[in-house]
Each structure stands twice: as structure tokens, then as C-alpha cells.
Amino acid sequence: MTKLNWGLIGGGEGSQIGPAHRLGASVDGLFQLAAGALDADAEKGRVYARSLGIAEDRAYGDWQEMLAAEKTRSDKVDLVTIATPNATHFEITKSFLEGGFHVLCEKPMTMTIEEGEEIVKISRRTGKKCAVNFGYSGFSLVRQMREMIAAGELGEVRLVKAEFAHGFHADAADADNPRVRWRYDPAAAGVSAVLADAGIHALHMACFVTGQEVSTVSADFASTIASRDLEDDAMINFRMDGGAVGRLWTSAVAVGRMHGLSLQVFGEKGGLSWQQEHPNQLHYTPLNGRTQIIERGAADLYNAAQKASRVTIGHSEGMPLAFANIYCDLAEMIHADKAAGSSDGAAFLFPSSEDGLRSMASVYAAVKSAHASGAWQDAVPALLK
């Protein structure tokens, strides 16, 4: 299979997320890093791009230069990843979709519901896909959960419990650290901090594995450090369109918690439990039965889980390989698009612009609820009703 040309915006030297994207895109040999605008400092970005093997004429100073140049090339990039600060996502995503490129955008896709609706409309109009990097949905056993639930092994899903709680912003003395401060500044982060930054990963995962969407939410927000304008802890009750009840706790002040992403699903015939810090094991308990441990890489997993597993059983696979599964899905979609054909249904498990819009609508509904003492709010964006 011919390698696809890949472009990266942001994710430069010292970036938290850039290395995971570069590893994820390259590990299966499906993409080659052909172009980049990697830093807000144009010259620094060019130097770093060249150090990664990007040709000098495709080591761009900014995304506008990259867009203008790539549109005219016969070997233009097939996919552009946007790993820039949140407030820039909409403008860059919109411009590249309209320029004829498929896009993988870091979450949140946009800062507002209206922007999210516009991205969905542009993607539909141009036929260019906008995927959103809810990358944890790429883990093999998360996809196994999805397949087990779809196959009816849990029966009707009754309850979902999701968490994404860490303690890395718990030190009040760290309040002026610029790497922390922007996350609680409405001008930079938008209407929400920890929910929009971390909680929406867990919320998307709840939807991804159950096949249901969030319909209404009730929220309680807390800013436990007085200098913060936005929440650093949140509890969200939600109800789903298939009848499931959901509970989400997300926090940045849970001292002693590391990553803290986990998901439990309880149905009429059994329950499932998965933790991202122990990604090789999925716990399954059938009704009135003993708890079983499903191992990643086992021979009897569903196909979607098998496809998402590379390393032999008993060895750990981590976040970059989960990201790699998103890139694999996108590569299959792009090749199918070029051939005007079709591909395995598992290729289209990547989170879409519709998922990005739904997540932002849930954030806004939760913010509204928190300001109204937890009153239930509609979380379905108007475009998707």
C-alpha cells in the first residue's frame, strides 16, 4: 500500500502531544511526515521540521503558508493533523477542509457549538473528513467493549460510569505557571476547563462503546483553587438516547491519581470495566457469574479489537499505538476515497466531526446546568436533532 503524505500543524519541539502523533502516524508505515508548520515561532518551526526529515521547501513558517503551498502541489498532503492551542482549531480546520484536505483535529474540535456546526456542514459539503482525536477510542480493548455491547453480550445497557480524574493541577502555588494558567482562563480555554480538556474523552468513550449519545445533562462544577475562573473538578449526570443512565467524574485536583481514565458499563446481563492505566485487561462479569479477565491480543477477540492490537499478548501497548489505530482508520478511509471503493467497517471507527460537535454541545449544556444549580439541560446540538 502506497504511503500517504501527512502534514502536521503544531506539535513542535517540547510539545506534549506532538510526539504521540508522530509515533502514531508512522508506526504502521502508512504515512510519511511530508510537511509541517510546527511552531508559533516560524524559524524555530522550520528548523525543527528539517530535523525531522521534512524537506526545506515543505518546512513552513505558519499554517497559512502551508495551506497555500500544499494546494498547488501534485504530491500534496493527504491528511493534516492540527495540534495547536484550542482557540485556533476552528479557523485552521475550516481552512484546510475548504482547501480540499482531510483533517485530524485535536480536541476540542471548536470553542463553540456554532463553530462545530459549521465544521460539520463544511465536511459534509466538501466530502472531506474531519476526524477528532478522541484517541483513547483506539485502544484494542475499548473496541472489544464496543463489539461485545453491540453483539448483545451485556443485554440492554443500564448504567455507564466514566472517570477522567488526575491531580496534576492541585498545587495552588502552580497557579501562575503558564502551562497550567491558560487552562483556567476563559479567553484561552473557552467556557470550561477540566471537562473540556479531560472529561470529554471519557464522555466520548461512553458514547463510543455503548452506541448511544448523550441527550441531557445535570452538572456540578467546582473551582477548588480560588484564583481559577473555570472549574478544576466536575461531576456530570447524563442520560443517553438509548435509555442508559451515566455518571462522569472529572478532576485536575485529585492528588495521587495519575491519568485516571476509566470506564464501566453495566447491562441487564453483565458488566464491563476498563482502565487506561491497565489497558491490557478488560474485566467482564456475566450476571450471576464470576469475573473474567479478557486479555488484549487473545485469539478470540472481535475483529475490531484484533485489528487494533500489534504487540503479542502479555506485552503492554500504550497511548501512541491507540493513536496509531486512529491513523490506521483514516488511512483506510483515504485509500478507499481515492479508489472510490469501500473498506472494512472497522476503518470508520475514528471519531468524526459530529462527535466533536456533540462533545462541545455536552460541555455547553453542563456549563449551563452548573450555573443553574444542576438543572437538567438538553445536550443535543440543533444540527443533529
Side-chain angles (χ1 to χ4, degrees):
M1 187 178 290
T2 304
K3 280 190 178 184
L4 297 167
N5 286 329
W6 175 54
L8 177 62
I9 301 172
E13 189 170 16
S15 164
Q16 180 182 12
I17 203 68
H21 277 289
R22 289 193 294 275
L23 285 168
S26 64
V27 70
D28 294 298
L30 300 175
F31 290 93
Q32 59 185 357
L33 181 56
L38 304 184
D39 200 287
D41 181 319
E43 187 52 34
K44 184 178 177 182
R46 289 191 181 99
V47 169
Y48 190 57
R50 291 194 293 268
S51 77
L52 295 175
I54 295 175
E56 186 166 355
D57 65 332
R58 300 181 87 172
Y60 300 108
D62 57 45
W63 67 265
Q64 292 96 334
E65 180 187 359
M66 178 171 163
L67 175 60
E70 289 296 316
K71 283 197 298 186
T72 66
R73 297 183 67 104
S74 60
D75 61 347
K76 68 180 183 179
V77 292
D78 298 289
L79 175 71
V80 176
T81 294
I82 299 169
T84 57
N86 297 358
T88 67
H89 290 178
F90 170 70
E91 182 183 12
I92 303 174
T93 298
K94 176 179 184 291
S95 299
F96 274 87
L97 288 174
E98 291 178 333
F101 298 89
H102 297 295
V103 171
L104 172 60
C105 182
E106 264 301 328
K107 58 81 203 164
M109 183 178 75
T110 62
M111 297 280 278
T112 69
I113 297 171
E114 292 76 17
E115 289 175 348
E117 289 181 332
E118 187 169 352
I119 293 299
V120 170
K121 290 176 182 177
I122 293 169
S123 178
R124 290 174 176 178
R125 184 180 73 245
T126 62
K128 296 302 175 182
K129 296 294 185 183
C130 174
V132 183
N133 193 41
F134 293 118
Y136 304 108
S137 64
F139 275 101
S140 172
L141 291 180
V142 172
R143 296 188 171 192
Q144 175 72 8
M145 291 178 80
R146 176 187 173 98
E147 296 301 310
M148 290 177 69
I149 292 168
E153 294 191 41
L154 267 61
E156 180 182 347
V157 174
R158 294 169 172 168
L159 175 66
V160 181
K161 181 176 180 286
E163 292 186 3
F164 198 154
H166 64 82
F168 291 105
H169 300 162
D171 189 349
D174 211 23
D176 287 329
N177 180 339
R179 292 178 67 88
V180 174
R181 187 179 62 238
W182 76 267
R183 297 176 185 274
Y184 302 94
D185 177 4
V191 297
S192 168
V194 71
L195 175 58
D197 183 41
I200 58 173
H201 276 297
L203 198 62
H204 171 264
M205 191 178 291
C207 298
F208 179 78
V209 303
T210 63
Q212 300 184 35
E213 302 293 349
V214 174
S215 55
T216 57
V217 303
S218 169
D220 180 53
F221 283 8
S223 298
T224 65
I225 294 177
S227 62
R228 290 175 176 165
D229 294 324
L230 298 174
E231 87 287 352
D232 52 23
D233 186 273
M235 182 66 77
I236 315 295
N237 292 313
F238 59 96
R239 295 187 181 274
M240 309 185 83
D241 60 7
V245 174
R247 315 289 186 220
L248 166 65
W249 173 45
T250 185
S251 184
V253 294
V255 178
R257 293 285 293 260
M258 293 294 107
H259 203 239
L261 174 60
S262 66
L263 184 69
Q264 295 174 276
V265 182
F266 306 100
E268 61 182 347
K269 297 197 297 186
L272 292 166
S273 178
W274 181 83
Q275 298 179 32
Q276 190 262 332
E277 290 173 50
H278 305 281
N280 272 12
Q281 287 83 37
L282 172 63
H283 291 79
Y284 168 52
T285 309
L287 184 67
N288 300 320
R290 294 179 178 177
T291 297
Q292 306 168 23
I293 298 177
I294 299 172
E295 293 281 351
R296 184 209 52 76
D300 59 348
L301 300 185
Y302 283 94
N303 181 56
Q306 292 284 20
K307 285 186 65 176
S309 183
R310 294 170 184 75
V311 181
T312 54
I313 190 168
H315 297 82
S316 296
E317 288 188 3
M319 182 187 77
L321 290 186
F323 281 27
N325 287 327
I326 304 296
Y327 279 98
C328 284
D329 295 345
L330 286 165
E332 253 189 271
M333 179 275 297
I334 292 168
H335 281 296
D337 180 61
K338 287 186 171 187
S342 61
S343 62
D344 189 308
F348 302 104
L349 293 181
F350 61 82
S352 66
S353 56
E354 286 83 358
D355 294 318
L357 171 58
R358 287 184 186 278
S359 70
M360 189 49 57
S362 293
V363 167
Y364 269 80
V367 170
K368 186 176 180 180
S369 174
H371 290 164
S373 301
W376 285 90
Q377 304 292 332
D378 183 1
V380 183
L383 182 65
L384 302 182
K385 288 185 176 178

